[in-house]
Amino acid sequence: MKRFFLAAIALLAAFSANAQLFDFSSNNNRFEFGFEFGSAATNAENPTRFAAGVSLVAYGVYAGFVEASPQHRYDNHVNDTMWEDDQAFLINLGYQVPILPWLRVMPIVGYAQTNKGITDASTVNISSGEYSSTLYHDYDVTPGSRRHLFNYGGGISVQPLKWFSLNAVYTYHGFYGGISLDLVGIMGAK
């Protein structure tokens, strides 16, 4: 699969005769904010399911944060059950290398953490905001279960329009994708 992506990128670069390869000046005046969805803590001792997070791109520097909360933390049942749950998060940093005006690849390094713990359904906490309230249960990390992991991989960013980008990131301990809005492009700055 990695060879396919590398071959596809090389092929796209070869067919774009009028595009300057690695035009890093195209990263100037780029400020993107996005939402990411996928999976965290793959290839880890405590793998998790769905994860969500945010990403930020400023002048080509990519920063992403994705978290998978404990599965039963926001369950609406109150009883004397103790659930074994996993939690994980990823923090990734990289730099977008412009291949074409609309295509960027990102080498990525980062940090991943996984926790195994217990969600106590007999406790109920309510956090209330101005417009909504959230019910959640206490989650306690099991001592000795926290794992700190080095994360590495790559990503691709496709910009079909001036104002937004579609992103896909695949690392050793997670994979996710999302959409980013170019705030400078939206405001009309050049």
Side-chain angles (χ1 to χ4, degrees), residues 21 31 44 49 53 66 69 72 109:
L21 286 177
F31 189 79
R49 296 145 306 278
V66 179
S69 295
H72 296 97
V109 295

Side-chain angles (χ1 to χ4, degrees), residues 25-107:
S25 66
S26 68
N27 283 339
N28 295 342
N29 297 323
R30 289 183 61 81
F31 189 79
E32 295 181 3
F33 178 78
F35 296 99
E36 309 288 341
F37 304 97
S39 178
T42 56
N43 298 317
E45 185 178 327
N46 305 324
T48 60
R49 296 145 306 278
F50 176 76
V54 295
S55 65
L56 182 68
V57 175
Y59 295 96
V61 177
Y62 168 84
F65 174 80
V66 179
E67 179 186 24
S69 295
Q71 183 179 8
H72 296 97
R73 179 137 196 211
Y74 299 102
D75 193 290
N76 60 1
H77 296 92
V78 178
N79 52 37
D80 59 355
T81 304
M82 303 288 261
W83 286 299
E84 288 187 13
D85 274 343
D86 299 321
Q87 177 187 30
F89 70 87
L90 307 172
I91 298 173
N92 292 321
L93 295 173
Y95 186 77
Q96 291 187 337
V97 178
I99 303 296
L100 298 170
W102 54 270
L103 177 67
R104 292 173 171 74
V105 295
M106 300 177 284

Side-chain angles (χ1 to χ4, degrees), residues 120-164:
D120 184 359
S122 66
T123 63
V124 177
N125 302 296
I126 298 175
S127 67
S128 58
E130 187 175 340
Y131 299 107
S132 66
S133 297
T134 304
L135 173 106
Y136 64 96
H137 303 294
D138 288 336
Y139 172 76
D140 295 317
V141 176
T142 303
S145 72
R146 182 167 286 157
R147 300 289 177 255
H148 306 278
L149 308 162
F150 176 71
N151 198 19
Y152 60 92
I156 189 168
S157 178
V158 177
Q159 187 177 10
L161 295 174
K162 179 180 179 180
W163 306 282
F164 77 95

